[in-house]
Amino acid sequence: MRRLFCFLFLVPMFHNNHASAWDKWKLQQDTSQISEADQQLLRGRLKALLQKQQVKDSLNKGNVETLPLVGIPQLLKGQVSGLYVQESTGEPGTPKNMVIRGIGSPLLAAKDAVGVQPAVYVNGIPIARDNNFTYSIQQYQFNRLGPGTDNFAGIELSTIESVEVIKDPVLLAKLGPLAANGAIWILTKPGKEGRREISFDGYVGLATKPVVTPVNAQYENLFRSAFYDKYASASDKLSYPGYLSDETNINYYGPANWDDAYYKNTPIYGGNLGIRGGGDRANFAFMGGYMKNANVADKTNIERYNALFNVNMAPYKWFNFGTTINASRSLRDRNRSLRDRFGEAAYVPDLSVPISPNRDKYGEYLDVYKRALDNNTVNMLNLAVNLDLYLLPNLKFNTNFGVDYSEGKREAFFPGSLMETNNYMSSYFGFNQRLVFNNSLDYNFKLEDKHKFDFKLGAAYTQDLYRYHYGRAYDGPNDFIKVNVVEGDSQKGNYLTPIGGLYVNRWSNREDFRLHSLYLSGHYTWNDRLDINALLRYDGSSTVQPDSRWLMTPAFSANYQFVQEGEAEVVDKLSIKASWARIGKPVFTSKYAVGPNYTADLNWGSEKSLVSYNGFAVSSRPYSEGWVGYGIQWPYTDHAELTIDGTLLEKRLDVRASLYQKKDVNQLVNMPIPAEYGYSGQIINGLTVQNRGVDLNVDGKILSDPAGFQWTSSLNLNFNQNKLTALPNGKTELKVGDRLLRVGQAVDQFWLYENEGIYNTDAEIPVQNGRKLQFDGVDFAAGDPRWKDQNGDFVIDEKDRVLKGNAMPKLVGGFTNQFKFKGFELNMQWYFALGQKALNQRAASKYDFINTENTNSLDGIREVFHWQQDVDITKYPIYNPWSPLVAYRVDQDLFLENASFLKLRALTFGYDLIQLNGIKKKFQTMRRAYVYVSGINVLTISKFSGKDPELIDFNGYYTGYGLPLSPMVSVGIKLEL
């Protein structure tokens, strides 16, 4: 870990992990008067310095470089201990959730999932994520407004030199508040001194469609008949859905072959060309490429164009300069689900007649959809500029500047034939702009070669601007006007007025975030055995109230090498390290900084984004987002870690174990207040969540014959438990929607009724004092579920719900084996997550058909992919679906399932053609010609009854909307000249 400290922070922030051009040039100057033997020694040291630094929290790129992956989360899944990647849909380019060492706050809404994710740095620049402010105008929050493309899908994976997952408390403290949830440090391929190098990566492959069992109305009719025969009244039978009652209707009782049009084997492909070279005082790298990745379902795909340019120069001994430009453009075709379309339009259609399971009828729907417009574009630019000034041999000044800019654009149009004659159009443009400016002064010295000191004094400034413009229109004159055209002449009275009689609503918003930091760090080394690090930061944020704007945070660590190389026979190295850090947690909304405020509910009840006084301007309480008063303070997180690191058996076995605690303190939460105040609650500090766990990494060289068979194996594990340790004002419980937070319990638990069977007859229902058992004032009846009366008060209500199961896994890990033999390679990766549960919302909705189909809600939509056997109907009892108790409500443990899984995530077989003598002689300049075949999502082992245990939303609910993580097979080649 001591090497990692030096690597990341004693070298300038934006440097790649190579010796600087100045160091190399200085080496040449200093060797002019020494012996040839000393020169060879120095060159050997330089070569060692240029080699990639390997630490146990680094990604082994050799395990994943042949896989057709899209973004950073997919790249890291199962590869590093402590990192959990949640991939709730296989739709390419969509955002994925990443969590390092557990969630630091409850995940109660989609925007909460963004707040617990780690920061991702590319060449030292923290990538800005989409701000959550669009959710405030969305009636349905299935997807964020805009293109809905992952911020990290624009990074071409073949241009990456190294990826490091940073969990060490002091390293995170040096990165500052943006890294409070952990960090992922990515370096792209830099310029390289020496002979010109040309590389080419290319692959083609196929995403293969899954095996499904489609059904038609006959299956649905048989499913419902059990309920109608047992519980339906005469009026219930008369209101039987028409599309199910007419068995002569071939559209519903005919062939159920919709899957042939919905699922298709789809090609994927990509290529990247690069060139690197230069001298010792100036070198460069340029790479460009294209990629298209697709899912087998619903014609979803993403295309990406990318370019990378890097140059490093040392024009003088004392001056170093380097810059990197990374740019990409992503185009995405999204899914065509009814829920997502109507959710964006905030429109609830007539749900009495669902889409047909027949391929021809579904094809007619797709033909109409061709007249729709759904363009999603994201442009990304990442710029890093670094300058070093060597003032003295042991004194260096560094300044660096970074820009991260991404803009998203979405244009949507749905014709009237898709929207019950009411067409819809929308346009979105938004951008994230982050500027980073850092200055530091580094000073180091030695005392008697045993005592080494390094000090750094620095200042950092981060400025974010988030902006969006959104407009939507309904009921256009025809289906040919697909964009909102306005009067563009500013001199006319109808300037910016829509042309064509459109009714347009517009929204525009911005958020600013500024972070200014001062820090002082010190590093002491004694005899290359003891390392001590200390840091003191002073951070100020524009989004915290003025009286609490600045936060002082310390960090320190100590590492001792008990055994160094050559001191013992069995143990090659053994060290123990303890570290602790306090880090401020950033707040990315300015609403708390302005002092007392609230958000008024002056809108239509069915559409909160459309403001209307409705004739009652003063009667608008309660204010749903809560009252913000004085005294809002910085939230912060305390990280503590104890790590034992050892190398055994002549460097054949590396073992590292870390005990950690992460405590997120003083977080903001909306707490209930008396109803007479007129507000839904007050937003105050005081929520604290603790995560404790163990990280384990084991890397072994089982067989290591350089001329024969080689077998290396690695295992990474993370065990984590979270717990709510405090609520504001000493409260012990907080109800938020359908979740309950209780001090002393995990924050990801479900709040459920415990199911004990069914009341088959009225005689089975308990009676006390002549009164039947009740649920919220309603008597139980035959056909109702038996819910356990936890407190024995003879009333079933919220007091009888219990906290049960965890949405986040308790144990996550990966197991990789790599076999090599004379140029042949076989790589096998297993990925697993154990201990998590999921609520099967899909099954609950299917059984609760009476309520879902008769409620004016998008929950009643029947998608085309619902015409399949995706629910195990043998595991659920036959309750009365007409019961006023809502017998199939999802908040009961009847629908709680084990979502643990084990996956053979990837399998790769390859051969380096350069091993062939004929190739060597004919192409003497070729360094590598690696051909391979790879497969991902090969095998899944799980007891989960849904399609895939990974396709679960951030809150632990399985809705069935996630597109499949389909097996993909690809063949490719990697050339290096």
Side-chain angles (χ1 to χ4, degrees), residues 724-841:
L724 179 67
T725 60
L727 284 170
N729 302 325
K731 299 293 185 181
T732 59
E733 289 187 349
L734 173 62
K735 178 185 174 184
V736 184
D738 206 34
R739 303 295 283 263
L740 179 71
L741 302 178
R742 179 178 293 159
V743 173
Q745 300 291 326
V747 297
D748 61 332
Q749 288 186 299
F750 302 99
W751 192 30
L752 309 173
Y753 295 101
E754 287 193 323
N755 193 293
E756 296 182 317
I758 183 175
Y759 292 115
N760 292 296
T761 65
D762 287 339
E764 296 179 3
I765 301 172
V767 178
Q768 187 179 78
N769 298 326
R771 181 173 62 88
K772 285 186 177 181
L773 181 69
Q774 293 185 334
F775 176 82
D776 283 344
V778 178
D779 289 345
F780 277 84
D784 285 337
R786 291 177 182 260
W787 290 323
K788 186 175 181 180
D789 184 6
Q790 303 286 347
N791 57 5
D793 63 355
F794 207 69
V795 174
I796 304 297
D797 54 21
E798 287 185 345
K799 297 177 182 178
D800 297 300
R801 295 167 73 174
V802 296
L803 293 172
K804 200 169 187 179
N806 295 88
M808 298 294 292
K810 296 180 180 178
L811 182 66
V812 178
F815 182 50
T816 301
N817 288 276
Q818 188 177 58
F819 307 92
K820 295 183 179 181
F821 180 73
K822 295 183 178 180
F824 291 97
E825 290 187 12
L826 176 64
N827 195 307
M828 182 183 299
Q829 300 173 40
W830 294 88
Y831 172 57
F832 54 88
L834 307 174
Q836 74 272 34
K837 302 286 186 178
L839 275 179
N840 198 328
Q841 176 74 66

Side-chain angles (χ1 to χ4, degrees), residues 615-630:
F616 300 96
V618 298
S619 301
S620 57
R621 296 187 180 187
Y623 302 122
S624 58
E625 293 191 17
W627 164 263
V628 176
Y630 290 113

Side-chain angles (χ1 to χ4, degrees), residues 42 70 84 110 378 438 569 667 708 769 779-780:
L42 287 172
V70 176
Y84 174 57
V378 174
N438 298 280
E569 295 184 1
Q667 300 182 84
N769 298 326
D779 289 345
F780 277 84

Side-chain angles (χ1 to χ4, degrees), residues 342-475:
F342 291 125
E344 180 185 353
Y347 179 78
V348 180
D350 179 5
L351 302 175
S352 61
V353 181
I355 197 167
S356 170
N358 182 267
R359 179 181 57 194
D360 294 335
K361 297 300 295 183
Y362 180 56
E364 292 177 7
Y365 165 79
L366 295 180
D367 289 339
V368 175
Y369 206 100
K370 292 177 182 178
R371 300 200 294 269
L373 184 69
D374 193 349
N375 296 331
N376 303 275
T377 305
V378 174
N379 299 316
M380 184 201 77
L381 175 66
N382 193 266
L383 168 67
V385 179
N386 183 82
L387 294 96
D388 288 329
L389 298 177
Y390 293 83
L391 306 177
L392 295 171
N394 58 348
L395 180 64
K396 181 180 68 176
F397 175 75
N398 169 257
T399 183
N400 51 66
F401 175 72
V403 176
D404 175 62
Y405 176 81
S406 63
E407 61 180 29
K409 181 180 180 182
R410 173 170 166 81
E411 295 177 342
F413 172 80
F414 304 123
S417 46
L418 289 176
M419 302 282 292
E420 297 179 327
T421 72
N422 185 5
N423 58 26
Y424 167 85
M425 67 183 68
S426 70
S427 60
Y428 173 94
F429 176 79
F431 65 84
N432 310 320
Q433 175 182 287
R434 172 168 286 171
L435 306 178
V436 181
F437 186 54
N438 298 280
N439 292 284
S440 64
L441 192 65
D442 294 83
Y443 179 70
N444 63 81
F445 64 92
K446 297 181 181 179
L447 295 176
E448 300 178 353
D449 290 332
K450 287 187 177 182
H451 307 280
K452 300 178 183 178
F453 297 88
D454 292 281
F455 296 97
K456 176 180 284 190
L457 176 65
Y461 177 72
T462 301
Q463 176 177 304
D464 291 357
L465 172 60
Y466 305 93
R467 191 76 186 267
Y468 77 84
H469 303 277
Y470 176 64
R472 66 184 184 189
Y474 299 88
D475 199 18

Side-chain angles (χ1 to χ4, degrees), residues 522-598:
H523 177 205
Y524 167 71
T525 302
W526 173 74
N527 204 28
D528 291 330
R529 188 178 290 272
L530 173 66
D531 286 274
I532 298 176
N533 282 271
L535 172 73
L536 191 64
R537 291 187 67 95
Y538 195 47
D539 298 297
S541 171
S542 65
T543 56
V544 181
Q545 293 183 357
D547 56 350
S548 303
R549 184 150 291 169
W550 291 89
L551 179 69
M552 181 77 74
T553 55
F556 56 85
S557 69
N559 182 63
Y560 187 77
Q561 296 273 354
F562 286 95
V563 179
Q564 291 184 328
E565 190 171 348
E567 294 182 348
E569 295 184 1
V570 177
V571 179
D572 302 304
K573 293 181 181 179
L574 180 63
S575 66
I576 185 169
K577 180 180 180 180
S579 55
W580 178 90
R582 173 165 292 179
I583 309 171
K585 297 192 69 174
V587 178
F588 289 103
T589 176
S590 58
K591 68 177 295 182
Y592 307 126
V594 299
N597 68 89
Y598 52 84

